[in-house]
Amino acid sequence: MDINDLNKAATQLAKENKYDQAIELLKEAVLKMKSAGGYGNNGYTKIIPYFQKARRYSEAIEYAYENLIPALREDCRKTFPHKPAEIRNALFEVGCHQIFDKLRLNAKREKLKGDEIKFEELSRQHLAEHKRLRKIGEDKDFLIEYRKIRQLYGDDSATWPPPIYKRFGEHHGNM
């Protein structure tokens, strides 16, 4: 089965309260997503509530650390090799934020206040790191793009096409 079929089948099994079987299909989907790359964070986090509903709370935590987080890192590496490392890492961090937020929700449903607080803090930390890295990465990406524009159109920004000048012209003397 392809990834979409695995997800659909898992959803159907979950509707029938067959969470253990749904988890197995989603584990297979996660491996395929990791290999293919280009999958959104929701694809990786879908499995977490299924563990809780299957009364396998602690397995969700273990699976997140041992499988989801490494799979997400690999996906970001494969999907964004052309981007600065900070952008790739920022995308990884936002995925971790979402994973820990789902684990927080599981803890809340289980009424495990200590775990809920721990996962909320981890979620917050990853979101903050995402924002920090994204800003650095965007600035780096902009500089790379600007240098390419100068190579292509020359140093005289007055001769650049208007859309290019609009985007880069005001920064011309500052880089």
Side-chain angles (χ1 to χ4, degrees), residues 26-39:
L26 290 176
K27 283 181 177 181
E28 191 178 333
V30 165
L31 289 173
K32 289 183 177 195
M33 288 186 302
K34 173 186 170 183
S35 293
Y39 283 87

Side-chain angles (χ1 to χ4, degrees), residues 48-174:
I48 295 171
Y50 287 18
F51 277 107
Q52 191 264 330
K53 290 175 182 176
R55 303 198 180 279
R56 294 165 59 182
Y57 170 81
S58 60
E59 285 181 62
I61 299 166
E62 183 180 321
Y63 186 77
Y65 279 106
E66 292 180 7
N67 297 278
L68 292 180
I69 292 171
L72 181 63
R73 182 176 297 284
E74 180 64 14
D75 190 316
C76 289
R77 186 190 68 74
K78 281 183 176 179
T79 305
F80 304 105
H82 57 289
K83 292 289 186 183
E86 293 84 358
I87 295 285
R88 281 192 309 274
N89 290 334
L91 293 166
F92 168 73
E93 290 293 336
V94 78
C96 288
H97 153 70
Q98 291 173 335
I99 288 170
F100 286 115
D101 193 53
K102 288 283 189 179
L103 290 173
R104 177 200 59 79
L105 189 56
N106 277 7
K108 183 177 182 173
R109 289 176 179 148
E110 293 290 318
K111 297 179 177 39
L112 298 170
K113 192 66 174 167
D115 281 2
E116 182 183 354
I117 291 167
K118 176 179 81 174
F119 292 129
E120 183 175 16
E121 181 56 30
L122 286 168
S123 177
R124 239 186 264 139
Q125 288 172 5
H126 284 282
L127 184 59
E129 185 65 359
H130 159 74
K131 290 176 181 177
R132 185 186 77 78
L133 288 171
R134 189 181 76 202
K135 174 70 174 120
I136 293 168
E138 286 172 351
D139 291 348
K140 201 175 199 179
D141 216 18
F142 184 86
L143 183 59
I144 291 167
E145 196 175 347
Y146 170 76
R147 288 178 179 154
K148 288 178 183 176
I149 292 300
R150 281 187 55 199
Q151 273 184 326
L152 187 62
Y153 294 108
D155 288 334
D156 184 3
S157 62
T159 64
W160 295 357
I164 301 294
Y165 182 81
K166 184 177 180 181
R167 176 153 165 78
F168 296 101
E170 68 184 52
H171 303 284
H172 184 55
N174 303 327

